[in-house]
Amino acid sequence: MRRAALATGAVVVLGLPWAVPRYFVFLASLIVVNSIVAIGLNLLSGYTNQLSFGHAGFLAIGAYTGALLTIHAPALPVPAALLVAGLVTAAVGLALGIPCLRLEGLYLAMATLAFGFVVVEAILNLDWITRGNDGLRVPAARLGPIALATDTARYYLTVAVAALLILAALNIARTRTGRALLAVRESEIAAQASGVHLAAYKTLAFVLSAFYTGVAGGLFALVVGFLSPDSFDVFLSVDFVAMIIVGGLGSVPGSVLGAAVITTLNDSLAGFQNYRPLIFGAILIASMLFMPGGIASALRKLSVAGAAGYPGTAPPAAKPRQGDDP
Amino acid sequence: MLSVEDLSISFGGLDALSGLSLEVTEREIFALIGPNGAGKSTVFNVVTGLYRPSRGRVTFRGDDLLALAPHEIARRGVGRTFQNTEVFRQLTAIDNVLVGRHAHLRSGVLRGAFGLASVRREEAEARELARRLLARLGLAEVADTEAGSLPLGYQKRLELARALAAEPRLLLLDEPAGGLNPTETQTLMKLIQRLRDESGLTLLLVEHDMELVMGISDRVAVLDYGRKIAEGKPREIAADPAVVEAYLGSGDGA
């Protein structure tokens, strides 16, 4: 059942460029890029409860790093450029994460919001290298002999990178690191009492989150082909937060679903710019009211309700345990 | 093993502890009792590094605990449970226990991300150990249930399982019998004794249930308004006029 679903999904994802018009291949690439950002943001906000309204800033750093490498070091293979974009952004994440250890909730949201503005200002002021408001045209990158000159080629690149990053996120989530991050979210004092180094894991969440978003930024530069500071405004950061709320906090598949929903909505509402905030707000409120765990948890509940004979989440009443002889 | 000397701490001008000294020896079951607000949980929070006292020394097996962060204290073998249970509510019971095992596992973020064979082996072993612990505490059937949806008695046992997963040398139990029915309390008493007798643990507990305290403790210290008013074997404590005064005088019948 699960395998069949995965196989069907793989066929759909890989076959998509041959079945839909070119524009949708571009849109699908954008969804995949945003999925990576959503996973990164979820590692920070969903897993350790550190809310960020500055992820457009991380995306911009990754995007400009990737673009400048493609322009000035065309011999560098794409995977290496993406890795550097991720590492540079991760370093910035570390630098932001350490002072943010002292902040929580709204204060952290404000600090990350400010970070997003600072990044845009920095891009504007570094115009000798970023070309400021004129924008930066990103040439087609090369992967060995293949030029990634078509939407289809770029789509497959994003899918391959995303597949690796999703697998890694799932692996992290279900082993020691992922549990420690969740433990920090659930109870800081109990996590510490279990030997979890609070500051280290909160900072690690920032670094990981920035790395994912930086790699996504490198892909974003290649997919969109043109960068300017206004592509990375605060509304993009809010969109990322919307993705993980709609998709499901603390869920990797939820991040992907949320990215798909919000990116598609954004695209279909492009003609109604004035109503966009209204419609978005309504969707967010409805999602939090009726689907507090996001799409991921709603789907889980549906599948649980569908499976017959499931004992449910209610534990057996406090009956005497086995081997209990008072 | 654990030595607390001349400990003082105050919150907003109120002395929570003043000049408290305690000496807990290895393989001992030591109980802290006293009326509400006497400072019992404060002792736990100082020993586990959550509070910094204004004066005093706390050493555990030669280490100065006041110089260590909470997670470092945990890694040196001091485990604890909490008065108002602090399970990781949205994690399954088994994942709660696996977090307890955190300090014994090696896999970091990179090795975890790549899902290396060594990580998978370590995970499998840890899960096996967690299942055994859950079974030992009668939680085998709720291993995959979200901890937050378990009844209080289950959550208390789960906290204990999580603490035991770290293989502590000293275990601090904050009102382990709080909210348990008499049958559950009996089982808990046997378990605490087994932990000492079979696993060689040292236990420091805060408890209001006098049957439990008098039944299993080797020594008891009585706190009142942040000061130690008596210490000794359970029988001596029960007969101590100062203790009777503190309890009966405050209307908090024992």
Side-chain angles (χ1 to χ4, degrees), chain A residues 171 176 179 186-187 195, chain B residues 75 86 89-90 102 113 123:
Chain A
N171 278 335
R176 178 170 174 263
R179 285 192 300 262
E186 297 288 305
S187 165
Chain B
R75 282 163 179 247
E86 287 279 344
R89 298 183 65 84
Q90 293 194 48
H102 181 84
E123 276 290 306

Side-chain angles (χ1 to χ4, degrees), chain B residues 185-203:
Chain B
T185 305
Q186 285 292 328
T187 318
L188 176 72
M189 283 170 69
K190 280 184 202 158
L191 176 75
I192 292 175
Q193 279 172 321
R194 282 223 313 271
L195 286 174
R196 190 264 304 273
D197 299 341
E198 294 166 19
S199 314
L201 266 169
T202 308
L203 291 117

Side-chain angles (χ1 to χ4, degrees), chain A residues 168 171-172 174 176-177 179-180 182-183 186-187 189-197 201 313 315-317 321 324-325, chain B residues 70-71 74-75 82 86 88-90 98 102 105 107-109 112-113 123 138 141 145 149-151 154 157 162 187 190:
Chain A
N171 278 335
I172 292 172
R174 63 174 164 236
R176 178 170 174 263
T177 308
R179 285 192 300 262
L182 285 171
E186 297 288 305
S187 165
I189 52 172
Q192 288 176 301
S194 305
V196 174
H197 189 331
Y201 276 90
T313 48
R321 279 158 283 144
D324 198 343
D325 42 351
Chain B
H71 70 274
R75 282 163 179 247
F82 297 86
E86 287 279 344
F88 305 122
R89 298 183 65 84
Q90 293 194 48
L98 285 168
H102 181 84
L105 304 180
S107 89
V109 62
E123 276 290 306
E141 53 199 311
T145 305
S149 65
L150 294 171
Y154 279 60
R157 298 209 297 274
R162 179 178 68 194
T187 318
K190 280 184 202 158

Side-chain angles (χ1 to χ4, degrees), chain A residues 132-225:
Chain A
N133 263 332
D134 293 343
L136 194 63
R137 185 162 296 285
V138 188
R142 296 193 68 85
L143 192 61
I146 319 155
L148 298 168
T150 64
D151 283 317
T152 302
R154 290 190 284 262
Y155 171 75
Y156 281 127
L157 173 72
T158 57
V159 167
V161 173
L164 272 178
L165 290 177
I166 289 173
L167 202 64
L170 287 171
N171 278 335
I172 292 172
R174 63 174 164 236
T175 51
R176 178 170 174 263
T177 308
R179 285 192 300 262
L181 293 175
L182 285 171
V184 168
R185 176 187 80 183
E186 297 288 305
S187 165
E188 293 193 355
I189 52 172
Q192 288 176 301
S194 305
V196 174
H197 189 331
L198 210 56
Y201 276 90
K202 283 184 157 186
T203 311
L204 175 68
F206 253 102
V207 172
L208 265 179
S209 186
F211 177 81
Y212 269 71
T213 311
V215 173
L219 288 170
F220 179 86
L222 296 179
V223 167
V224 177

Side-chain angles (χ1 to χ4, degrees), chain A residues 269 272-286:
Chain A
L269 295 178
F272 313 89
Q273 272 310 329
N274 293 335
Y275 297 101
R276 212 185 72 103
L278 184 72
I279 299 171
F280 253 67
I283 289 173
L284 267 186
I285 292 171

Side-chain angles (χ1 to χ4, degrees), chain A residues 9-326:
Chain A
V11 168
V12 169
V13 168
L14 292 177
L16 183 109
W18 311 101
V20 300
R22 242 188 77 189
Y23 177 73
F24 287 100
V25 179
F26 167 76
L27 184 63
S29 305
L30 215 51
I31 289 177
V32 177
V33 170
N34 286 340
S35 301
I36 301 175
V37 181
I39 292 171
L41 181 59
N42 226 334
L43 286 173
L44 184 68
S45 303
Y47 277 76
T48 57
N49 203 16
Q50 302 182 93
L51 200 53
S52 163
F53 280 101
H55 264 52
F58 286 131
L59 189 77
I61 293 168
Y64 274 91
T65 308
L68 291 170
L69 283 172
T70 313
I71 294 167
H72 299 291
L76 193 69
V78 175
L82 292 175
L83 186 64
V84 173
L87 291 176
V88 167
T89 314
V92 177
L94 178 67
L96 179 66
I98 291 172
C100 281
L101 281 173
R102 298 173 164 275
L103 305 176
E104 271 180 14
L106 273 179
Y107 296 96
L108 180 63
M110 289 301 290
T112 51
L113 186 74
F115 165 75
F117 287 122
V118 168
V119 170
V120 170
E121 279 306 309
I123 294 170
L124 285 171
N125 283 301
L126 294 171
D127 53 359
W128 53 275
I129 181 161
T130 63
R131 299 178 51 84
N133 263 332
D134 293 343
L136 194 63
R137 185 162 296 285
V138 188
R142 296 193 68 85
L143 192 61
I146 319 155
L148 298 168
T150 64
D151 283 317
T152 302
R154 290 190 284 262
Y155 171 75
Y156 281 127
L157 173 72
T158 57
V159 167
V161 173
L164 272 178
L165 290 177
I166 289 173
L167 202 64
L170 287 171
N171 278 335
I172 292 172
R174 63 174 164 236
T175 51
R176 178 170 174 263
T177 308
R179 285 192 300 262
L181 293 175
L182 285 171
V184 168
R185 176 187 80 183
E186 297 288 305
S187 165
E188 293 193 355
I189 52 172
Q192 288 176 301
S194 305
V196 174
H197 189 331
L198 210 56
Y201 276 90
K202 283 184 157 186
T203 311
L204 175 68
F206 253 102
V207 172
L208 265 179
S209 186
F211 177 81
Y212 269 71
T213 311
V215 173
L219 288 170
F220 179 86
L222 296 179
V223 167
V224 177
F226 182 78
L227 301 179
S228 76
D230 55 8
S231 326
F232 304 100
D233 61 10
V234 60
F235 296 106
L236 185 62
S237 293
V238 175
D239 280 354
F240 292 143
V241 174
M243 286 174 199
I244 62 170
I245 289 176
V246 170
L249 290 172
S251 160
V252 172
S255 310
V256 178
L257 291 171
V261 169
I262 299 293
T263 312
T264 312
L265 262 177
N266 252 335
D267 184 69
S268 27
L269 295 178
F272 313 89
Q273 272 310 329
N274 293 335
Y275 297 101
R276 212 185 72 103
L278 184 72
I279 299 171
F280 253 67
I283 289 173
L284 267 186
I285 292 171
S287 165
M288 286 192 262
L289 277 179
F290 302 113
M291 254 185 349
I295 303 174
S297 109
L299 286 179
R300 234 186 343 261
K301 278 181 196 137
L302 274 182
S303 74
V304 165
Y310 186 83
T313 48
K319 63 181 182 195
R321 279 158 283 144
Q322 285 168 339
D324 198 343
D325 42 351

